[in-house]
Amino acid sequence: MTDEFFSAALDDLREKGLLREPRVFTACDGRTITLSGKKYLLFCSNDYLGLSQDARIVRAVEEGLAKYGFGSGGSRLISGTRTAHEKLERAIAQYLRAESSVLFGTGYGANSGAIPALAGKGDVIFADKLNHASIIDGCLLSKAEFVRYPHADMGALERLLSKTRCTGRRWIVTDGLFSMDGDLAPLDVVCGLAKKYDAGVYLDDAHAFGVLGEGGRGTASVFGVEGKIDVTVGTLGKAAGGAGAFATGSKKMTDYLVNKARTYIFSTAIPPAVAEGDLKAVEILAESGDRRKSLLSATSDVNAEMRKRGLARVGESYIIPLVVGSADKAVQFAGAFLEAGIFIQAVRPPAVAEGSARLRLTLSSAQLPDDRTALLSAVDKLFDGRSA
Ligand SMILES: Cc1ncc(COP(=O)(O)O)c(C=O)c1O
């Protein structure tokens, strides 16, 4: 194949305003980034509690490197498992009050491996339309029938559950806190429907893990349905500030994933030093009430300010989408924010639906009150009376 194909495809993306390139930060301290020698306030990170820069975690990783060296040298079932992985799995299960947990390399790998392991031919997966790409890919990789319901529409979910014939098992699969819209799945209703229609519940709590609910235990805790979720997936790459991911549930379920999830079986285990860092992060999450409080208080302040400006959406969380419409417009807004000293990425299709490109603004406990004042004054200047 020649480069002509790639050139044409890239030109096409450029014309549609959809060409992407990673921005390279020469420095990042969780609150600010440096880009081409200039410092900007960071308002689009998933490091919601600022733990990516926590000195206790950095030290744990350094000690892990000294103890284990760098790589794990193999997949978990061949030669990649160290005590660090096992300790981390126990700590996650304990933190989430689950019987057991199993690690994956990434949240993407957890969803794309666990879902096809859990659902197969004859089964039906009922999935929220706005679920994360890794869930969608997991559903597509499974041999199950894949039925999508309109976002958070529990009436539609019930209609689909009642009318879709299923000879095997039913699964309801949903994000907890939706990554691009910042609203919550109504998990109490989801669990009620799951009971009524004898379905399993698979929750991806990537964005709520460590932050929402009692002790940061996530969306199930917010809705009082801990114990009613069959599988909870989370990533250690967001509020935990590290890397890696997990699925929790019963011991039988995690043993099953160890034997059936291809992204667990056929992929190199995360470096043990990273597992040590993640372990420290989970310990810190368990006692991070103050950080959570400060983030949630900033969340309610900023959302109130957005509401005053007619910019708030239905949900209210530390993920605040400013929907502007076309991809080009979102890129222009991101450029204007940058000129105002604020780094927010434009989120464009296919990450969000056509016509709903947005600035995905996120808050972190690492930000200072002055940072949020600077953000709001930039919003005033850029949106100038226009609703998003
Ligand atoms: C809901 C959701 N699930 C899974 C993932 C993937 O997690 P990871 O970044 O660990 O691959 C993300 C990441 O953006 C996400 O938003």
Side-chain angles (χ1 to χ4, degrees):
M1 195 185 291
T2 68
D3 267 358
E4 266 170 49
F5 165 79
F6 301 116
S7 268
L10 292 168
D11 287 346
D12 183 49
L13 287 172
R14 191 176 292 108
E15 269 164 35
K16 293 177 175 148
L18 296 177
L19 190 70
R20 291 167 171 84
E21 274 173 328
R23 305 297 295 260
V24 182
F25 305 159
T26 48
C28 174
D29 61 12
R31 182 187 146 241
T32 65
I33 54 130
T34 306
L35 204 54
S36 309
K38 233 185 121 190
K39 226 173 182 185
Y40 299 89
L41 294 174
L42 176 60
F43 271 98
C44 59
S45 163
N46 298 322
D47 181 15
Y48 302 120
L49 298 175
L51 291 187
S52 73
Q53 306 300 313
D54 191 284
R56 295 164 290 179
I57 299 174
V58 173
R59 204 172 321 116
V61 175
E62 285 167 352
E63 287 168 9
L65 285 170
K67 181 171 175 187
Y68 298 103
F70 181 32
S72 66
S75 61
R76 289 292 303 280
L77 294 176
I78 301 294
S79 64
T81 299
R82 304 289 184 282
T83 44
H85 298 103
E86 231 199 346
K87 277 192 296 184
L88 176 57
E89 286 175 333
R90 272 202 304 272
I92 291 167
Q94 194 180 2
Y95 175 54
L96 290 182
R97 300 183 177 176
E99 197 180 5
S100 179
S101 107
V102 55
L103 285 177
F104 286 83
T106 62
Y108 187 96
N111 286 327
S112 57
I115 296 172
L118 294 164
K121 206 162 184 278
D123 300 335
V124 183
I125 300 172
F126 300 87
D128 189 290
K129 240 194 169 138
L130 292 191
N131 279 345
H132 188 256
S134 55
I135 296 183
I136 296 172
D137 291 357
C139 295
L140 292 172
L141 275 172
S142 81
K143 305 244 170 9
E145 186 180 344
F146 177 29
V147 178
R148 298 172 84 186
Y149 56 90
H151 178 48
D153 184 339
M154 294 294 101
L157 172 58
E158 173 147 29
R159 281 191 294 281
L160 288 166
L161 280 162
S162 68
K163 78 167 196 208
T164 309
R165 273 177 48 83
C166 175
T167 53
R169 281 162 300 159
R170 295 179 171 84
W171 281 98
I172 303 173
V173 178
T174 183
D175 277 25
L177 172 56
F178 284 85
S179 54
M180 295 298 151
D181 288 65
D183 57 343
L184 294 176
L187 274 191
D188 47 349
V189 186
V190 167
C191 289
L193 290 175
K195 186 155 192 258
K196 182 167 173 190
Y197 292 94
D198 191 23
V201 179
Y202 180 106
L203 168 68
D204 177 350
D205 222 15
H207 291 274
F209 169 71
V211 187
L212 292 185
E214 201 183 309
R217 293 201 303 275
T219 315
S221 160
V222 172
F223 287 96
V225 292
E226 285 176 291
K228 294 191 177 155
I229 309 291
D230 297 281
V231 184
T232 300
V233 160
T235 173
L236 297 153
K238 302 191 193 296
F246 59 84
T248 66
S250 71
K251 175 78 167 74
K252 293 268 186 240
M253 190 282 293
T254 57
D255 284 351
Y256 176 84
L257 290 184
V258 164
N259 284 276
K260 292 283 188 183
R262 293 168 69 83
T263 52
Y264 174 91
I265 299 166
F266 297 108
S267 190
T268 302
I270 57 170
V274 171
E276 289 286 359
D278 287 336
L279 176 63
K280 180 55 76 180
V282 173
E283 284 168 20
I284 293 173
L285 284 178
E287 51 187 53
S288 286
D290 288 348
R291 280 179 199 241
R292 278 189 282 275
K293 226 193 231 162
S294 126
L295 173 60
L296 296 178
S297 144
T299 294
S300 96
D301 292 349
V302 174
N303 275 290
E305 291 296 331
M306 291 297 179
R307 253 194 316 275
K308 270 192 222 159
R309 292 161 173 79
L311 295 170
R313 307 248 296 168
V314 197
E316 182 171 289
S317 76
Y318 37 88
I319 299 172
I320 304 173
L322 300 174
V323 178
V324 296
S326 73
D328 275 338
K329 217 160 144 195
V331 172
Q332 282 162 18
F333 267 100
F337 269 112
L338 201 64
E339 274 177 31
I342 290 167
F343 185 81
I344 309 180
Q345 275 287 13
V347 178
R348 295 166 272 170
V352 291
E354 203 69 51
S356 76
R358 64 197 64 188
L359 284 309
R360 176 183 175 272
L361 164 65
T362 58
L363 303 177
S364 163
S365 62
Q367 290 151 351
L368 303 174
D370 280 355
D371 302 344
R372 293 189 284 274
T373 307
L375 168 78
L376 290 169
S377 86
V379 165
D380 283 339
K381 215 161 77 196
L382 301 183
F383 283 85
D384 194 18
R386 270 180 305 145
S387 289

